[in-house]
Amino acid sequence: MTTPTALATDEARTRLHELTVIDVRTPGEYAGGHLPGALNIPLDRIQRALPDFRHATEHGDVLVVCASGARSENAGRILAENGVTTATLSGGTGAWAADGHELHHPQGASRATWGMERQVRLTAGAIVLLSLLLGLVVHPAFQLLSAGIAGGLVFSALTNTCGMAALLAKLPHNRPRTADLHNTLAALRNR
């Protein structure tokens, strides 16, 4: 059976028992709430998990999920380029929760890391404010940094990608521990 490109939340909920759900958000975002039974493999680790994805698709359909759908679409594209067919959840976990479906939290999880979008907004805003202040106090050339951030945000919106998010995802609080990723990949292999 071929999985459609995107599943609505209600369709995903009714098929949840037959899907292998992969959450491609950062571990902190995943800890903040994820679809029941979802495994966490961050977007930047997808290439490493290709053999395990191939194995999972031999045993059923794979649903790739993120916060709003952009990262899961990117993951789906990467997987498709490598011969792995997956579906994405329309609107991501945000739509899932908005439709009244339950989100699960890992046992023993400490407080959740901010979502990536919130981290990007904080970082971009802080850089803009700091560069404007430095432009007033130190040298006007610092204001060019604000223009650079604005240009990056426009580019991000036009391409549906985000370089700042990619950089922030590399920070320690957004990275899976090696043991956690190893255990997740083992769980994916055993499905």
Side-chain angles (χ1 to χ4, degrees), residues 165-190:
L167 290 173
L168 291 173
K170 296 187 183 311
L171 293 176
H173 68 276
N174 285 325
R175 306 294 310 144
R177 293 180 303 192
T178 303
D180 291 343
L181 184 60
H182 177 72
N183 292 338
T184 300
L185 294 178
L188 182 59
R189 279 189 293 274
N190 292 327

Side-chain angles (χ1 to χ4, degrees), residues 150-163:
L153 291 172
V154 169
F155 180 79
S156 175
L158 293 174
T159 62
N160 201 25
T161 62
C162 186

Side-chain angles (χ1 to χ4, degrees), residues 42-80:
L43 179 59
D44 64 343
R45 300 296 176 103
I46 293 294
Q47 293 282 352
R48 177 178 175 188
L50 280 172
D52 302 309
F53 273 103
R54 286 188 186 101
H55 177 76
T57 59
E58 292 172 5
H59 302 285
D61 295 332
V62 174
L63 178 66
V64 183
V65 180
C66 68
S68 64
R71 283 179 278 180
S72 59
E73 286 178 15
N74 289 338
R77 191 169 29 260
I78 291 167
L79 292 166

Side-chain angles (χ1 to χ4, degrees), residues 60-128:
D61 295 332
V62 174
L63 178 66
V64 183
V65 180
C66 68
S68 64
R71 283 179 278 180
S72 59
E73 286 178 15
N74 289 338
R77 191 169 29 260
I78 291 167
L79 292 166
E81 290 168 359
N82 288 280
V84 179
T85 303
T86 61
T88 60
L89 179 65
S90 295
T93 55
W96 179 270
D99 286 347
H101 305 307
E102 182 182 8
L103 291 175
H104 286 198
H105 303 273
Q107 288 185 328
S110 59
R111 70 182 183 101
T113 301
W114 284 0
M116 189 54 65
E117 183 181 326
R118 188 175 182 189
Q119 291 180 52
V120 168
R121 288 192 316 255
L122 174 71
T123 304
I127 291 171
V128 167

